[in-house]
Each structure stands twice: as C-alpha cells, then as structure tokens.
C-alpha cells in the first residue's frame, strides 16, 4: 500500500535501485505549509520574516537532503529553500544557530532574534541520506505520558535537527489486540500479555508480560488517536516514520488454542514466570507468517504505511538454537511476513544484540542473520557506536547499510557525562572506512532531557565536513544556549569538556552512590577529577551573580544541573569517609559524616525543586492526567513510581532508571540511606554484627515497596530561587567536599 508520501519513503529503496522519485507539487506545497506552521509555533509573529520553499528537484542524484538560505542586505526577509520539509526546517534552525546566536532543545529555548537579521547566502548538503532518532525504549523512559502538545514539540525538534527517519510506535497495542482476537484469544488472554504503559517497550521485544498492566480501553483509544496525529505531522514534514512489525512473540494462551504450534520460551533477567518467559514462534511454524501478515495488514489499514518497519526478535535474549541455518530462517520469516503485505518493506534492526550478546553473535552467526535478507532491504542501527562500534567487527554488517548511532544514555538517568571526542572524530572514520555501507547518523538514547550539549554536537555531525575545534565549539554552544557570555562561562565549559564530557569508562549507566540501594560495597562512577566539576560550579555561580538581570531559563537549568552534579560528587566523597569510619569502628566520625551525607541530600532536593523539569510531582501529574477513571490514574501513578525505583515487583532492575528529582530524593533515596546509616551506627554503638542483607530486606519492605504503592502528592510547580540556593550551597559545601 502506497500513501501519498511514498515517494519520500522509497528513498531507502533507491539506495539499492540507484534512482530517485521526486515529490509531487501538491506535497511540496503541503510541506511548505507544515514548515511555516512550525516556524510560527517557535517564534510567533516574527515568522513572517521567513519564506519557505520546497523543491525536491534540488536533491542530488544520491538523494541527500540540502537547504539553501538567502538573506539579501536589501531585503527584510530570509528565504529558505529545502529539498524536503525536514531540509527546510533544518535550514531554518541552522540560520538561528549559526547567524542569530539562538538555541533550541527538547524543553528549553533561547531565541532572541537580532533586530536586523544577518545577511547570508549559503548552501548546505547533508553528509548522508538519513538522520535517525530514538531507541526502542525511549518511548517508555521518556514519552509514555506525553499528550499531543508535547509530541508536537518533539516532532518540531526532530525536523529542526534534520531528523528524517524516526520510530513511531504509539497505538500498536490496539492492533495487536485485534490481531490476537482474530486468532481466537480473548480479553483475559490479552490482559495477561500486555504490560502497563511504562513497560510496553519490553513487552514489544519479548522481555516482559503482564507487569504493570492491564491496558484499558481508554488507553487504546487515546494511543490510536495520538498515533494518527503523530504520523500526520511527521509525514507532512517529510519525516519517515518507522513502524512496528511482528518479531514472533505471542501470548502464553496461544499454546492453549494451537497446541501443536512450535514455540520456544525466552527468559529475560530474573523476573518470575508470571511476568517473564514469553513464547516466541519458531520460524518454521506456518503461524509465524500468518500472524505477522495479519498484524501488518491491520496496522496499515488503520495508519497507512511508509514501508519502513522496526523489528527486534532477540533484544537481550539468546536464540534457542545457534546453528546458522536456524538464524537464517529467523531473518527470512520476519522479512517474509513484511513483504507479503508490503512488497517494498525495509527492515530496521537495532544492532544492540551484536554488542550485548557478542559471545553468541560470532561473525558467522551474525552474517547468517544479516544476509538472510536481500542486500539493501535491511537497515542496521549500530546502536552504541560512540563507544562500541560493531561495523568494524562485523565487516560493515556484511554489506547491509547501517547508521552510526550514539546511545549515550541508559534508563533516562541524570548525571553529566558524554564522549564529545568520539562524536567529533569517529563518525568521519566510519563514513570513510574501507567498503563502508554507512548511510546515516543516529541519536538513540534510552532517555532524553539530559546532557543537551552532547546532542547539540551530535546533530551537527550530519552536515559538518570535518571535525570541529571542541574548545571553540563548546564556547559557541554556551553563548547560543545562554544568550550571553563571559570568561566564567568559558572557564566552566572548558572544565566540563575536559572532564565529564571526555568519557573513557566501560559503561554510562547512572550508577551514582546516593541513588543506589545502600551498601558498604559500592564504587564511584567517576572517570575525571572531581575538582574540575567543583571549579566549574564556582564559575557558573559567579556568572549567575554577574548577569543576574539577563539569566535565561536555559542558563538556570544548567546552573541547577551543575549544582546537582557537584552535590552528587560531595555525597560520593562523604560515602568514602563513612565506609572508612565503619571499617575502623569509629562511631563518632561515622555519625558526623552520616549526618553530613543526609544534609547534602536535603540541599540537593531543594535546588532540584527550583527547576520544573526536575519535579517528581510533575511527572506523576503527567501520568495521572492520561487516566480517565480513578483506577486508571492510580495504575499509571504506580507504573511511573515503580519504573524509576524498583523496576519490577521485587527490584529486578532496581535503580536502573533512577531519577534525580525533587521529592524522590527525600522520600526514597534519603529515606533508604537514613535507615541504612542508622542501623549501621547502632551496630557500632552496640558493638554488634551488622547484617547488611537484613537491613536491605527492611529497606525493601519499609521504604521501596511502599513508595511504589503510595499516592502522596508532590508539588507540580517549582519553588525557590535557583541562583540564591546555588550560591548558598556553593558557600556551604564547596570546601567541605
């Protein structure tokens, strides 16, 4: 089935066939309107100063996007020409960044246009055909509770940063429900299959079932409506939505109805049978393609298609058989289920399995899976290429096109970190690698709204022809983000560049001491000199005082974030002293430093309360707002509380998706440490054995589990003065850390 946007989407096929199908005049007109509306949403009445023209014929023979910006000295208008709606939006953002000193991010902008718009005549061509966005779990860690208003901004952000290929996964559970009903399952069977909203990503990849559910009719109705809005907007701008396909997973009740079906049980982590161990159909079972084609047929009927489908059969799961013929069958079955419905289907597969299960996925086995699909009909996301590129080990994925992706974040955790040097250098290496099949760059974080500087640089790699001078670039970044600049800001960001943003560790999980379940066996996740962060904190506080009347929301967010990071490091240092005092049985020092540790957390909660995005109350409110009935509201609140804490009924992935939010600090992290430290002190005082395991059981029963069921209300609006508190805490703690 071809939608009116198919000409854009067939660009992927053109990679193989070597030709380009241009857009129709009608589509160009619609895209111009869509981009103009985007500009109006961003700058209001000043949007009249910008004219947008879409002309797909400008696109080079190889299909790379291009934009041109013209602003004559004699004109008061800026003309933006693009080969697509994405290209024109990208060009508009490029002009704001490079010529107007503006900054746009996921949730904060600094857009102070000069009275006289700068004159320019410049043409920019993308380095590759595609700029990909999202991880399959981003929807669960960051998007679950979004309404259309927030989604609209996200799609605008995609277009402004040149994203032309992005996952679009909302609303698929209703299609799965209809599909399973066709095969004889009932509501009860499906209710025991779907997880709650916060855990749907892992249900879709065969990792988890039932936990946090069931899904309600209201949820299905909302998700379908939202998905249609998302797809309409993405298509109007020329963003190719990557849609879901069948990976082989079926409800456990499937075996009851089809007892002779060939299924394998797959287990993920340590979840109990009630929540794990989904069935995956054997690729040799005729039902595999029947269900796959039934789902895709129903999906396309509801939403249309763009011929690009995401499917991950073995995300952190080991295939039941290791012989190459079986692995080839897996690939063929998945792809055949797509092409029986859509002859132009392209399969997008995350390459995470090749890194996460590297021992299993030898070259021979990886080649069997990758070459089971015709060359050019599979697009591989080299998911963690900034640290663990797989294209080198797997010979450019044995000829399949791939996208160099930056994973960067796990679980949506906070904490300043990133590897700007890798981004700045290794993308160019991958693009020119011998026999490279790289056709794009990608941003694939598990969670967003963190470390904005990392993503700002990464998006620029789609058009920059050579690496940048990072010192100069990061100073320009700060100037754009804040709208002003001085020596303190320069000093702060250079310190950050050479410390937290020069990551050299083995992983980037948010394993920071105070957000982990208390223990005397924890290790710091620090690869830099702490003093560099504290000095950067000094500089930011000084800049805040000197520019008090000109502080933007973006500066204030970063001031809070750096204060948070500095206090986080203070808790790390205090923890080392606490551990030493306990080991040496010095109860006086232990008590003194324990009180200091808990006092730091009190202050951290206060500084976080000044920033709207860092409030537990806001996120709970967003979740509850999607509930129609009191029961739904309670279910959604429990979903979010569990995911950011225990991540499972018994803490199966405890603290993986930890959040440094006001409210959570005091009622969860600080509460755990208070119980732990008090118990340890009592053992010192009484000269008795300290049973850490028993204390852990108490923490679970008295704090962790009750928190996930609690309905306590938290502030939804920010309180306090971030500048005043940052200064106060800097003076209070700076020399004590």
């Amino acid at each position: 089935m071809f939608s009116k946007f198919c000409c854009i989407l067939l660009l992927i096929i053109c990679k193989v066939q070597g030709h380009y199908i241009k857009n129709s005049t009608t589509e160009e007109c619609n895209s111009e309107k869509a981009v103009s509306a985007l500009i109006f949403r961003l700058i209001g009445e000043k949007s009249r100063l910008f004219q947008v023209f879409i002309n797909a014929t400008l696109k080079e023979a190889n299909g790379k996007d291009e934009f041109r910006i013209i602003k004559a000295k004699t004109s008061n208008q800026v003309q933006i020409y693009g080969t697509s709606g994405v290209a024109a939006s990208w060009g508009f953002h490029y002009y704001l960044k490079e010529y107007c000193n503006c900054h746009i991010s996921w949730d904060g902008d600094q857009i102070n246009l000069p009275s006289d718009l700068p004159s320019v005549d410049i043409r920019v061509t993308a380095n590759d055909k595609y700029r990909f966005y999202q991880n399959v779990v981003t929807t669960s860690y960051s998007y679950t509770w979004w309404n259309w208003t927030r989604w609209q901004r996200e799609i605008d952000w995609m277009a402004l940063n040149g994203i032309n290929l992005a996952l679009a996964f909302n609303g698929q559970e209703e299609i799965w429900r209809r599909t399973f009903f066709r095969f004889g399952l009932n509501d009860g069977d499906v209710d025991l299959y779907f997880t709650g909203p916060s855990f749907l990503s892992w249900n879709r990849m065969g990792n988890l079932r039932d936990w946090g559910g069931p899904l309600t009719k209201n949820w299905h109705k909302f998700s379908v409506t939202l998905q249609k809005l998302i797809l309409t907007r993405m298509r109007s701008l020329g963003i190719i939505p990557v849609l879901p396909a069948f990976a082989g997973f079926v409800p456990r009740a499937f075996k009851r109805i089809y007892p002779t079906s060939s299924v394998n049980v797959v287990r993920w982590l340590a979840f109990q049978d009630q929540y794990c161990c989904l069935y995956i159909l054997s690729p040799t079972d005729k039902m595999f393609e029947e269900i796959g084609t039934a789902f895709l047929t129903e999906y396309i009927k509801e939403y249309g298609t763009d011929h690009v489908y995401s499917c991950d059969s073995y995300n952190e799961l080991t295939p039941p058989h290791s012989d190459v013929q079986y692995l080839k069958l897996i690939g063929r079955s998945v792809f055949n289920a797509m092409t029986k419905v859509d002859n132009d289907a392209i399969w997008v597969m995350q390459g995470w399995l090749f890194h996460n299960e590297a021992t299993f996925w030898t070259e021979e086995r990886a080649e069997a899976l990758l070459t089971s699909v015709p060359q050019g009909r599979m697009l591989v996301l080299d998911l963690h290429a900034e640290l663990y590129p797989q294209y080198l080990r797997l010979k450019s994925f044995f000829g399949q096109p791939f996208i160099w992706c930056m994973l960067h974040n796990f679980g949506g955790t906070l904490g300043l970190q990133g590897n700007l040097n890798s981004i700045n250098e290794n993308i160019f290496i991958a693009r020119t690698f011998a026999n490279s099949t790289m056709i794009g760059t990608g941003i694939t974080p598990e969670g967003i709204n963190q470390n904005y500087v990392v993503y700002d640089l990464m998006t620029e790699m789609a058009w920059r022809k050579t690496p940048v001078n990072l010192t100069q670039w990061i100073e320009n970044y700060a100037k754009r983000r804040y709208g002003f600049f001085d020596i303190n800001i320069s000093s702060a960001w250079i310190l950050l560049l050479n410390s937290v943003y020069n990551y050299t560790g083995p992983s980037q999980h948010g394993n920071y001491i105070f957000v982990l379940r208390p223990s005397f066996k924890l290790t710091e996740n620090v690869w830099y000199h702490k003093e560099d962060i504290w000095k950067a904190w000094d500089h930011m506080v000084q800049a805040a005082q000197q520019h008090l009347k000109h502080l933007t929301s973006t500066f204030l967010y970063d001031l809070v974030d750096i204060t948070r990071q500095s206090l986080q490091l203070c808790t790390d240092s205090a923890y080392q002293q606490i551990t030493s005092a306990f080991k040496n049985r010095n109860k006086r020092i232990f008590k003194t430093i324990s009180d200091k540790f808990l006092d730091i957390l009190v202050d951290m909660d206060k500084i976080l309360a000044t920033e709207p995005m860092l409030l537990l109350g806001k996120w709970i409110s967003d979740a509850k707002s999607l509930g129609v009935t009191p029961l739904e509201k309670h279910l959604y609140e429990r979903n979010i509380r569990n995911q950011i804490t225990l991540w499972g009924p018994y803490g199966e992935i405890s603290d993986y998706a930890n959040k440094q939010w006001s409210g959570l600090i005091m009622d969860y992290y600080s509460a755990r440490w208070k119980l732990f430290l008090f118990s340890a002190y009592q053992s010192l005082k009484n000269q008795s054995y300290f049973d850490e395991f028993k204390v852990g059981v108490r923490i679970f029963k008295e704090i962790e589990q009750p928190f996930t069921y609690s309905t306590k209300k938290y502030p939804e609006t920010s309180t306090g003065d971030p500048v005043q508190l940052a200064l106060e805490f800097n003076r209070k703690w700076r020399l004590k850390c």
Side-chain angles (χ1 to χ4, degrees):
M1 174 180 176
F2 286 81
S3 71
K4 66 178 182 178
F5 302 97
C6 67
C7 49
I8 299 174
L9 305 167
L10 285 176
L11 286 176
I12 294 181
I13 298 172
C14 296
K15 166 71 179 178
V16 182
Q17 298 176 342
H19 66 274
Y20 171 67
I21 304 173
K22 74 167 189 166
N23 296 334
S24 69
T25 303
T26 301
E27 287 170 346
E28 291 167 7
C29 181
N30 289 340
S31 291
E32 288 173 2
K33 291 180 180 178
V35 177
S36 296
L38 182 160
I39 295 173
F40 179 80
R41 286 192 293 274
L42 201 63
I43 61 175
E45 292 300 322
K46 290 184 180 180
S47 61
R48 69 182 186 279
L49 300 174
F50 294 85
Q51 290 181 300
V52 176
F53 304 94
I54 308 297
N55 189 347
T57 60
L58 293 174
K59 192 166 291 203
E60 297 178 352
N62 58 11
K64 295 179 182 178
D65 267 322
E66 185 175 80
F67 59 81
R68 185 180 182 187
I69 309 168
I70 301 175
K71 166 59 171 71
K73 292 182 179 180
T74 57
S75 173
N76 65 347
Q77 284 194 316
V78 180
Q79 296 177 322
I80 301 175
Y81 298 85
T83 50
S84 65
V86 164
S89 303
W90 200 10
F92 168 69
H93 188 203
Y94 178 93
Y95 182 76
L96 292 190
K97 285 180 67 173
E98 300 298 317
Y99 295 96
C100 300
N101 197 40
C102 295
H103 174 82
I104 300 168
S105 70
W106 284 304
D107 50 41
D109 305 330
Q110 186 287 113
I111 306 177
N112 185 16
L113 291 175
S115 54
D116 294 322
L117 294 176
S119 300
V120 64
D121 186 346
I122 189 169
R123 185 190 301 265
V124 176
T125 303
N127 291 325
D128 314 292
K129 290 182 71 172
Y130 301 109
R131 283 80 57 195
F132 179 83
Y133 182 49
Q134 293 181 44
N135 187 301
V136 291
V137 302
T138 316
T139 183
S140 290
Y141 283 130
S142 293
Y143 305 161
T144 306
W145 313 112
W146 284 4
N147 56 22
W148 170 239
T149 300
R150 181 59 185 87
W151 260 110
Q152 181 171 242
R153 179 177 175 87
E154 185 75 355
I155 297 169
D156 287 351
W157 181 89
M158 293 183 204
L160 290 165
N161 286 284
I163 303 297
N164 63 354
L165 189 64
L167 298 181
F169 274 14
N170 281 291
Q172 63 174 287
E173 277 65 41
E174 169 60 16
I175 309 304
W176 284 119
R177 190 181 71 86
R178 297 177 198 172
T179 302
F180 291 142
F181 283 3
R182 283 186 55 185
F183 287 87
L185 278 72
N186 57 43
D187 280 318
D189 299 328
V190 173
D191 284 348
L192 291 175
Y193 178 69
F194 291 139
T195 63
S198 284
F199 305 97
L200 283 175
S201 292
W202 299 275
N203 180 245
R204 295 163 182 169
M205 294 184 292
N207 304 127
L208 202 65
R209 65 188 180 100
D210 191 30
W211 175 244
L215 296 179
T216 67
K217 292 181 179 179
N218 289 324
W219 176 267
H220 289 308
K221 183 178 179 181
F222 166 77
S223 299
V224 169
T225 301
L226 182 62
Q227 177 72 339
K228 289 180 178 179
L229 290 170
I230 291 169
L231 292 174
T232 298
R233 180 59 55 78
M234 290 175 71
R235 288 162 173 163
S236 72
L237 289 166
I239 301 173
I240 304 169
V242 182
L243 309 173
F246 182 55
F249 304 108
V250 294
R252 295 284 282 269
F254 187 82
K255 190 69 173 175
R256 183 190 75 233
I257 301 171
Y258 301 96
T260 61
S261 61
S262 176
V263 299
N264 293 290
V265 178
V266 287
R267 174 179 287 276
W268 186 59
L269 302 180
F271 283 89
Q272 293 181 348
D273 182 75
Q274 179 182 354
Y275 303 116
C276 80
C277 310
L278 274 72
Y279 285 165
I280 184 170
L281 277 168
S282 169
T284 60
D285 194 304
K286 66 182 182 65
M287 298 293 290
F288 192 107
E289 290 187 15
E290 286 186 33
I291 295 174
T293 56
F295 168 78
L296 208 53
T297 299
E298 184 68 25
Y299 190 95
I300 292 172
K301 179 181 177 182
E302 186 70 48
Y303 301 116
T305 188
D306 304 278
H307 313 294
V308 189
Y309 306 96
S310 173
C311 188
D312 295 289
S313 295
Y314 292 102
N315 175 69
E316 300 183 0
L317 301 170
T318 303
H321 304 288
S322 60
D323 62 279
V324 294
Q325 292 306 315
Y326 181 85
L327 299 175
K328 281 182 177 290
L329 274 175
I330 292 172
R332 288 173 186 164
S333 297
V334 170
F335 189 63
N336 287 344
M338 296 179 190
T339 54
K340 280 191 174 181
V341 181
D342 182 353
N343 192 50
D344 297 313
I346 301 293
W347 177 6
V348 174
M349 182 176 70
Q350 290 198 149
W352 177 249
L353 72 169
F354 300 127
H355 163 60
N356 187 67
E357 295 281 347
T359 302
F360 178 88
W361 290 104
T362 61
E363 282 192 38
E364 183 184 24
R365 291 173 186 159
E367 183 177 14
L369 178 62
L370 291 166
T371 59
S372 65
V373 175
Q375 196 170 82
R377 302 296 295 275
M378 176 186 282
L379 181 54
V380 182
L381 305 178
D382 199 350
L383 205 66
H384 204 359
E386 83 276 21
L387 286 180
Y388 306 108
Q390 297 300 303
Y391 74 88
L392 295 168
R393 180 174 77 90
L394 300 179
K395 300 176 182 177
S396 214
F397 299 102
F398 303 101
Q400 295 290 17
F402 76 92
I403 291 179
W404 193 102
C405 297
M406 177 189 75
L407 176 53
H408 178 258
N409 177 270
F410 291 87
T413 58
L414 295 180
L416 303 182
Q417 50 91 1
N419 192 325
L420 298 187
N421 287 292
S422 174
I423 297 168
N424 192 39
E425 298 171 3
N426 292 333
I427 292 174
F428 299 99
I429 294 173
R431 193 176 284 126
T432 57
F433 175 69
N435 299 316
S436 176
T437 56
M438 175 179 163
I439 62 170
T441 52
I443 298 174
T444 54
E446 288 194 351
I448 65 171
N449 302 114
Q450 41 74 34
N451 290 290
Y452 302 91
V453 64
V454 176
Y455 298 89
D456 202 278
L457 178 64
M458 182 63 194
T459 55
E460 291 188 12
M461 291 299 107
W463 59 263
R464 287 193 177 276
K465 307 305 178 187
T466 58
V468 301
N469 179 313
L470 281 176
T471 300
Q472 181 181 354
W473 182 90
I474 210 161
E475 288 182 336
N476 289 335
Y477 165 83
K479 185 177 180 180
R480 292 194 306 269
R481 183 161 167 82
Y482 304 151
F484 66 91
F485 196 70
D486 70 8
I487 187 62
N488 277 305
I489 291 173
S490 173
S491 298
W493 275 99
I494 290 173
L495 284 165
L496 295 175
L497 170 65
N498 294 318
S499 56
V500 288
Y501 292 119
N502 186 23
Y503 188 83
T504 57
S507 68
Q508 294 182 319
H509 289 275
N511 292 331
Y512 307 112
I513 296 292
F514 87 89
V515 298
L516 300 178
R517 175 179 279 188
S519 169
F520 285 126
K521 303 171 185 176
L522 304 177
T523 57
E524 290 183 288
N525 184 25
V526 176
W527 59 93
Y528 50 86
H529 297 297
K530 296 178 184 178
E531 186 65 24
D532 288 344
I533 309 307
W534 292 326
K535 286 180 180 177
W537 186 23
D538 295 340
H539 288 301
M540 288 294 285
V541 169
Q542 291 175 43
Q545 292 175 280
Q546 293 169 7
H547 299 274
L548 198 57
K549 295 182 180 179
H550 307 288
L551 300 181
T552 58
S553 62
T554 45
F555 177 88
L556 293 175
Y557 180 94
D558 287 355
L559 177 65
V560 171
D561 204 16
I562 291 174
T563 302
R564 176 206 54 73
Q565 183 82 9
S566 298
L567 295 178
Q568 172 187 297
L569 292 174
C570 286
T571 63
D572 285 0
S573 298
Y575 172 79
Q576 300 301 330
Q577 294 175 289
I578 289 170
T579 303
S580 176
F582 184 81
K583 181 179 180 181
N584 294 322
R585 313 299 292 177
N586 190 322
K587 63 178 182 294
R588 182 185 62 81
I589 294 178
F590 183 89
K591 179 67 165 60
T592 299
I593 306 303
S594 294
D595 290 344
K596 172 185 174 181
F597 182 96
L598 295 173
D599 193 21
I600 295 170
L601 294 185
V602 171
D603 289 346
M604 185 184 293
D605 196 273
K606 289 179 181 177
I607 192 71
L608 293 172
T610 68
E611 171 51 49
M613 288 298 299
L614 301 176
L615 302 175
L616 173 62
K618 175 196 177 299
W619 292 93
I620 291 178
S621 176
D622 287 349
K624 292 173 68 176
S625 70
L626 297 188
V628 177
T629 67
L631 183 60
E632 286 176 330
K633 291 179 182 292
H634 177 70
L635 179 67
Y636 297 164
E637 179 172 1
R638 188 184 170 201
N639 263 249
I640 188 172
R641 283 173 175 266
N642 182 272
Q643 190 207 67
I644 63 178
T645 54
L646 289 175
W647 215 121
Y650 301 107
E652 285 82 352
I653 322 180
S654 183
D655 300 315
Y656 179 86
N658 65 78
K659 302 292 184 292
Q660 296 181 39
W661 290 343
S662 177
L664 190 61
I665 300 293
M666 293 308 298
D667 284 3
Y668 195 77
Y669 302 129
S670 182
R672 293 196 305 189
W673 278 103
K674 189 176 295 184
L675 192 157
F676 179 85
L677 294 172
F678 176 79
S679 300
Y681 178 71
Q682 290 299 113
S683 76
L684 291 178
K685 186 177 178 180
N686 300 328
Q687 297 184 350
S688 59
Y689 173 70
F690 178 66
D691 192 327
E692 191 171 291
F693 176 79
K694 285 186 177 180
V695 174
V697 172
R698 283 189 60 197
I699 288 173
F700 175 78
K701 291 182 177 180
E702 297 176 27
I703 298 169
E704 294 174 337
Q705 192 176 56
F707 178 86
T708 66
Y709 287 96
S710 173
T711 57
K712 177 181 176 179
K713 293 185 177 180
Y714 294 89
E716 299 172 27
T717 56
S718 58
T719 57
D721 184 335
V723 175
Q724 179 184 344
L725 289 175
L727 175 60
E728 176 187 336
F729 298 153
N730 181 265
R731 289 173 175 173
K732 179 179 179 179
W733 295 113
R734 177 66 174 88
L735 298 179
K736 297 180 182 178
C737 291

